């Protein structure tokens, strides 16, 4: 078996890379260890409406609900509302991720890619030190699949990278450890994604309520692994739901455990090998959102691969445009937000309450750094010191 | 006596991959939708134990 490209993993990073590579003429195979694309869902399913700009989706099954804005709840439950009509706030969708992932894969298949399910990558195929393909296990059969380029889109575990000798290990303070219920029979504020902050609520992370319809929502928690103890995310989430008037009568339709990298992106381009998506730690470190990042990076990776196949050159230098094209867009944002994440982590509950109190009536349509700072400091002057590190970022 | 190693209760594991991504020894692998630990690689650092969101990992011999 010989392909131009083997993509390991059929999540958004893998399928979008495969789509753009196949569209530029490459012979692409996706291998996926699961028996069904997109199942089980390991996600809160929130995405920005920027996804519309890529024209990757058709139909409506992938979308569960449309969002007009977000509400942030401080530890003392002061609400800061970021609404759609206000500049700067991103509107979005809550997805049905099993259909979303399937549509993205179908998009790649329509461009000529193929896929093998129940097929687990177990090692790189090498000739001396050169990567020449992937070793996989399909049921009990060992397969050696040759390829000029391997795409590691294998998610948070990022094992393919490790086989190539890349250190993909996450530090505990760069991982959110998560659980989530999809709760039915609850009262939801339709059109708003809710975020609850606080050291006692979710140390180093937050609790989210993302509505999927009139009486259903994804209710989940992320805790920074460095601040977690065994089972802490599950215990904190159960306590939160039990004490929340709108949620406590809820009944679960789905339960999941998940892991989200909140690190800086790692170098992702090597001879014959690209890392894309969670595997490359391309996730917004503040929100833990990785879907848009995977799509952006997947497009760049796929297009670059197409070019490399045309040239029949597969070295790092030929493949580097993949990351260079992302430097001023995706990577700039991810690196800046990593610094912000580190700063926010040091805010205690009192600071978060003061912030929320200053912002609760703030008109976000005049979103300039200066007016924002004025609003914050007018009410709570002591915030100035806490916010100083953030000010430096306005230059980034 | 050797330090007790990490032990994964496969019945509780929900295959989130968290433990795999933080293990400094690359001692854990997903196998048939469950995390499996290669004991000889484990250095008993305990990182995976605190990371597991559902409490599926423990120290060997602990009840
Ligand atoms: C609880 C939770 C909530 C989240 N909420 C959001 C959100 O609301 N919005 C958002 O934007 N992001 C969210 N994320 C992050 C988002 O899910 C990821 O960033 C996104 O799925 C990354 O896509 P990916 O293609 O890189 O990886 P994945 O979607 O994880 O896909 C990786 C694929 O590779 C396969 N695979 C792995 N190893 C192998 C192997 N050896 N052989 C073959 N196949 C393999 C896996 O089975 C999987 O299908 C959340 C994550 C979690 C855990
Ligand atoms: S205890 Fe440390 S070395 Fe052992 S499996 Fe867990 S994380 Fe890896
Ligand atoms: S962290 Fe826990 S639930 Fe997640 S894969 Fe490891 S053992 Fe399983």
């Amino acid at each position: 078996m010989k392909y131009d490209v083997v993509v390991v993993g059929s999540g958004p990073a893998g399928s979008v890379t495969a789509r753009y590579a196949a569209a530029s003429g490459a012979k692409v195979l996706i291998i996926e260890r699961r028996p069904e694309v997109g199942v089980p869902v390991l996600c809160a399913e929130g995405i920005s409406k920027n996804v519309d700009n890529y024209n990757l989706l058709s139909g409506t099954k992938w979308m569960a609900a449309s969002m007009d804005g977000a509400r942030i709840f401080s530890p003392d439950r002061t609400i800061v509302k970021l609404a759609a009509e206000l500049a700067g706030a991103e509107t979005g969708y809550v997805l049905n991720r099993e259909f979303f992932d399937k549509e993205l894969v179908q998009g790649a298949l329509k461009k000529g890619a193929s896929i093998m399910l129940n097929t687990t990558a177990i090692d790189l195929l090498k000739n001396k030190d050169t990567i020449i393909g992937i070793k996989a296990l399909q049921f009990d059969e060992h397969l050696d699949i040759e390829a000029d380029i391997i795409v590691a889109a294998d998610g948070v575990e990022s094992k393919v990278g490790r086989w190539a000798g890349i250190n993909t290990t996450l530090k505990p303070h760069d991982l959110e450890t998560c659980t989530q219920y999809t709760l039915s029979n609850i009262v939801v504020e339709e059109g708003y994604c809710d975020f609850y902050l606080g050291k006692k609520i979710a140390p180093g992370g937050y609790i989210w309520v993302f509505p999927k319809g009139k009486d259903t929502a994804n209710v989940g928690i992320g805790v920074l692994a460095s601040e977690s103890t065994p089972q802490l995310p599950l215990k904190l989430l159960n306590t939160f739901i039990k004490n929340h008037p709108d949620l406590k009568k809820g009944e679960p339709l789905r339960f999941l455990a998940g892991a989200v990298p909140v690190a800086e992106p790692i170098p992702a381009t090597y001879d014959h090998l690209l890392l894309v998506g969670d595997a490359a730690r391309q996730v917004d470190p503040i929100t833990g959102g990785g879907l848009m990042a995977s799509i952006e990076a997947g497009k760049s990776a796929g297009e670059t691969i197409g070019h490399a196949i045309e040239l029949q050159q597969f070295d790092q230098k030929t493949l580097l445009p993949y990351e260079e094209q992302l430097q001023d867009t995706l990577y700039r944002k991810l690196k800046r937000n990593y610094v912000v994440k580190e700063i926010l982590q040091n805010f205690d509950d009192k600071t978060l309450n003061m912030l929320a109190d200053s912002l609760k009536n703030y008109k976000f349509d005049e979103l300039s750094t200066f007016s924002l700072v004025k609003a914050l400091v007018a009410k709570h002057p002591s915030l100035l010191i806490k916010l100083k590190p953030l000010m430096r970022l306005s230059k980034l | 006596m050797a330090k007790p190693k990490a032990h994964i209760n496969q019945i509780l594991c929900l295959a989130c991959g968290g433990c795999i991504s933080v293990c400094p020894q690359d001692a854990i692998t997903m196998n048939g939708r469950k995390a499996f630990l290669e004991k000889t690689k484990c250095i008993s650092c305990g990182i995976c134990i605190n990371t597991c969101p559902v409490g599926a990992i423990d120290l060997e011999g602990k009840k």
Side-chain angles (χ1 to χ4, degrees):
Chain A
M1 266 188 281
K2 166 91 208 297
Y3 290 83
D4 292 327
V5 187
V6 171
V7 177
V8 180
S10 69
S15 57
V16 174
T17 306
R19 176 197 180 101
Y20 284 98
S24 53
K27 191 178 173 210
V28 181
L29 172 70
I30 305 170
I31 63 171
E32 170 56 57
R33 68 183 175 196
R34 298 166 162 190
E36 182 175 351
V37 170
V39 178
V41 173
L42 301 179
C43 190
E45 307 184 285
I47 195 167
S48 152
K49 281 196 177 147
N50 288 339
V51 69
D52 294 341
N53 303 335
Y54 287 81
N55 283 318
L56 297 169
L57 302 155
S58 56
T60 52
K61 263 167 120 182
W62 57 272
M63 192 210 305
S66 190
M67 291 298 119
D68 300 325
R71 298 187 304 176
I72 300 164
F73 294 73
S74 74
D76 66 4
R77 297 281 161 104
T78 305
I79 303 176
V80 178
K81 208 165 177 171
L82 306 168
E85 58 272 20
L86 305 173
E90 271 187 9
T91 56
Y93 304 110
V94 178
L95 302 168
N96 290 314
R97 245 210 80 188
E98 63 273 38
F99 294 115
F100 177 80
D101 280 22
K102 283 191 177 84
E103 276 214 31
L104 291 181
V105 167
Q106 280 171 317
L109 305 182
K110 276 199 200 114
K111 299 287 180 195
S114 357
I115 185 166
M116 283 163 56
L117 297 176
N118 288 309
T119 307
T120 307
I122 51 170
D123 204 351
L124 287 161
L125 195 62
K126 286 185 188 163
N127 182 359
K128 303 227 173 70
D129 284 337
T130 307
I131 296 170
I132 56 162
I134 196 99
K135 293 185 191 195
L137 197 60
Q138 190 179 50
F139 295 101
D140 54 358
E141 193 186 345
H142 283 267
L143 306 173
D144 283 353
I145 310 172
E146 285 179 48
D148 294 317
I149 298 174
I150 300 296
V151 176
D154 54 334
V156 67
E157 294 167 35
S158 200
K159 282 271 184 179
V160 178
R162 290 204 203 201
W163 300 332
I166 304 156
N167 180 8
T168 63
T169 309
L170 287 168
K171 297 271 184 303
H173 71 259
D174 284 340
L175 181 83
E176 295 284 342
T177 170
C178 310
T179 58
Q180 175 186 280
Y181 294 98
T182 301
L183 285 185
S184 192
N185 198 31
I186 56 172
V187 185
V188 294
E189 173 84 9
E190 278 186 272
Y192 280 93
C193 283
D194 288 345
F195 299 83
Y196 293 82
L197 304 178
K199 290 266 180 246
K200 292 198 194 80
I201 290 171
Y206 59 84
I207 283 182
W208 63 83
V209 180
F210 289 2
K212 294 200 73 173
K214 254 204 329 272
D215 58 0
T216 310
N218 290 332
V219 183
I221 186 171
V223 172
L224 210 61
S226 55
E227 299 190 30
S228 197
T229 51
Q231 221 179 51
L232 185 67
L234 177 58
K235 288 176 190 151
L236 288 173
L237 183 61
N238 286 341
T239 306
F240 177 82
I241 292 170
K242 204 174 68 198
N243 294 320
H244 196 298
D246 295 340
L247 303 177
K248 63 181 179 199
K249 291 216 175 76
E251 297 288 339
L253 301 176
R254 177 169 76 188
F255 177 74
L256 61 86
V260 186
V262 284
E264 284 187 280
I266 55 173
T269 311
Y270 304 88
D271 293 343
H272 300 275
L273 175 70
L274 297 182
L275 275 54
V276 188
D278 277 12
R281 312 323 185 190
Q282 292 159 341
V283 178
D284 183 333
I286 299 179
T287 63
L291 294 171
M292 276 315 299
S294 288
I295 290 171
E296 256 183 275
K299 178 168 190 275
S300 183
E303 288 172 349
T304 306
I305 289 169
H307 190 62
I309 301 294
E310 231 167 78
L311 296 173
Q312 285 293 300
Q313 286 171 15
F314 316 107
D315 55 307
Q316 186 184 40
K317 193 157 163 269
T318 309
L319 294 171
L320 258 183
Y322 156 47
E323 284 182 279
E324 282 164 2
Q325 289 162 21
L326 299 172
Q327 282 306 341
D328 287 337
T329 50
L330 179 67
Y331 276 20
R332 196 179 135 124
K333 177 175 156 194
L334 297 182
K335 285 175 186 169
R336 185 195 59 205
N337 285 4
Y338 184 78
V339 182
V340 177
K341 172 204 121 182
E342 300 275 277
I343 296 168
L344 289 178
Q345 228 104 77
N346 290 325
F347 285 3
D348 53 15
D349 284 1
K350 211 175 120 208
T351 309
L352 289 172
N353 286 333
M354 281 196 287
L355 267 173
D357 185 52
S358 300
L359 289 176
K360 66 183 177 199
N361 296 318
Y362 181 71
K363 293 262 176 301
F364 278 93
D365 49 323
E366 38 176 307
L367 195 73
S368 75
T369 317
F370 180 68
S371 70
L372 190 65
V373 172
K374 224 169 61 182
L376 288 171
V377 176
K379 215 155 175 198
H380 296 286
S382 66
L383 276 175
L384 192 58
I385 296 191
K386 300 266 184 194
L387 292 176
K388 229 173 164 181
L390 279 175
M391 296 300 120
R392 275 194 307 248
L393 280 174
S394 57
K395 290 191 215 88
L396 286 183
Chain B
M1 211 182 82
K3 269 203 201 157
K5 311 235 169 176
H7 171 261
I8 301 175
N9 182 341
Q10 261 101 24
I11 295 169
L12 299 182
C13 170
L14 288 172
C16 73
C19 57
I20 297 171
S21 70
V22 291
C23 173
Q25 294 300 105
D26 198 11
I28 314 176
T29 310
M30 202 65 78
N31 194 341
R33 300 218 50 75
K34 297 286 171 185
F36 276 80
L37 193 143
E38 223 174 301
K39 249 192 248 172
T40 48
K41 286 190 179 174
C42 175
I43 53 163
S44 312
C45 72
I47 291 175
C48 60
I49 299 175
N50 283 323
T51 297
C52 181
V54 293
I57 316 182
D58 219 331
L59 280 180
E60 223 175 22
K62 224 179 105 184
K63 247 273 97 114

